[in-house]
Amino acid sequence: MARPKNETKPNAENEVAKTVDKPVVDETAELKAKLAAQEKQMAEMMAKMQEMMNAQMATPTSVIADNKQTRSIKFINLASGGLTLKGNRFYHMDKQFDSRMIPESEARAIVNNMPNTMVSGVVYIADADFVREVELDGAYAEMLSDEQVKSLLHKSAAEVCDIYRNASDTQKRIIVDMVSDRRLEGLPVDANIVVELGKLCGKDLMGIEPENE
């Protein structure tokens, strides 16, 4: 008589062993590690960018500061005699066409202290950028420069008279003084200029004789 087959029961211990031996992956920890690494990279990039921006901003600022410290402005005396400018101290020029190089901070102080002198034409600032910065460019559009005044008596009587008519009151006096001074010093000057300019200003410039005679 045949014996019944022995049924093999599942080995519970083996199943548990298989389950325990299977590696468990902690996905949450791995994700956190990746995020931390990315955050570190971003922080390093931001720090480098900030460093570059600081370097770019620092260079122009220092250059501007250096320029302001070293920049000097040229003032030229157009008056027939001496001229003194007042900033935080005094700057004197002995004679016509003498010039002084004055530090920018002092030049601005002079402009603030002597606004009428600056637009009268008795002094000429030979720096177009500075003239614009201190808003004198409007007055300078009609003002005779030092070069124009220097060359004036080498022009024809008609040109001198035309320039005289369009000059400011102060520069008209400068032109007349230049002719008078040359007459007093016995220096040559075109007689036509003397006569015609005398008619315009109402003075007998031809009657001026050298002082040493």
Side-chain angles (χ1 to χ4, degrees):
M1 189 172 171
R3 293 182 180 178
K5 290 183 179 180
N6 291 331
E7 294 181 4
T8 304
K9 294 182 179 180
N11 190 331
E13 291 181 0
N14 289 340
E15 293 297 325
V16 171
K18 288 179 183 178
T19 303
V20 172
D21 292 341
K22 192 175 183 179
V24 177
V25 177
D26 190 343
E27 293 183 357
T28 302
E30 186 177 352
L31 181 59
K32 286 182 179 179
K34 286 182 179 179
L35 289 173
Q38 289 177 355
E39 287 178 0
K40 184 179 179 182
Q41 288 179 344
M42 286 293 294
E44 290 174 352
M45 288 175 62
M46 291 296 291
K48 287 181 180 178
M49 288 177 64
Q50 187 63 47
E51 186 178 344
M52 291 173 63
M53 289 174 64
N54 290 341
Q56 289 175 350
M57 292 174 64
T59 302
T61 302
S62 61
V63 169
I64 291 169
D66 288 343
N67 285 342
K68 285 190 174 181
Q69 288 174 1
T70 58
R71 183 182 182 190
S72 292
I73 309 301
K74 187 176 185 180
F75 286 75
I76 303 170
N77 176 27
L78 299 186
S80 56
L83 178 68
T84 298
L85 303 175
K86 182 183 181 298
N88 295 311
R89 50 169 290 199
F90 292 97
Y91 300 86
H92 184 72
M93 291 172 279
D94 291 330
K95 58 185 184 297
Q96 190 177 36
F97 305 124
D98 276 358
S99 64
R100 292 289 299 267
M101 296 299 293
I102 298 175
E104 183 180 358
S105 59
E106 278 293 279
R108 290 181 181 276
I110 290 169
V111 172
N112 291 332
N113 292 341
M114 308 177 71
N116 294 331
T117 301
M118 294 301 106
V119 299
S120 68
V122 74
V123 64
Y124 190 80
I125 302 172
D127 189 314
D129 291 336
F130 180 78
V131 167
R132 275 194 301 273
E133 289 167 17
V134 295
E135 299 180 354
L136 292 176
D137 43 328
Y140 270 59
E142 304 297 328
M143 188 183 298
L144 296 174
S145 71
D146 60 309
E147 293 299 330
Q148 288 173 312
V149 176
K150 274 183 183 178
S151 63
L152 185 66
L153 298 184
H154 297 291
K155 298 181 182 296
S156 69
E159 288 177 294
V160 171
C161 290
D162 187 51
I163 291 169
Y164 176 87
R165 290 187 190 96
N166 292 289
S168 67
D169 289 343
T170 299
Q171 292 200 321
K172 282 179 180 177
R173 287 195 295 272
I174 289 172
I175 294 169
V176 172
D177 286 346
M178 287 172 63
V179 173
S180 299
D181 289 346
R182 291 186 73 84
R183 294 286 295 171
L184 285 170
E185 294 169 13
L187 298 174
V189 56
D190 187 337
N192 292 319
I193 292 176
V194 178
V195 171
E196 295 304 320
L197 190 60
K199 291 177 183 178
L200 287 176
C201 71
K203 293 183 178 181
D204 181 15
L205 298 180
M206 282 297 293
I208 299 174
E209 299 293 337
E211 290 182 334
N212 57 357
E213 289 186 3

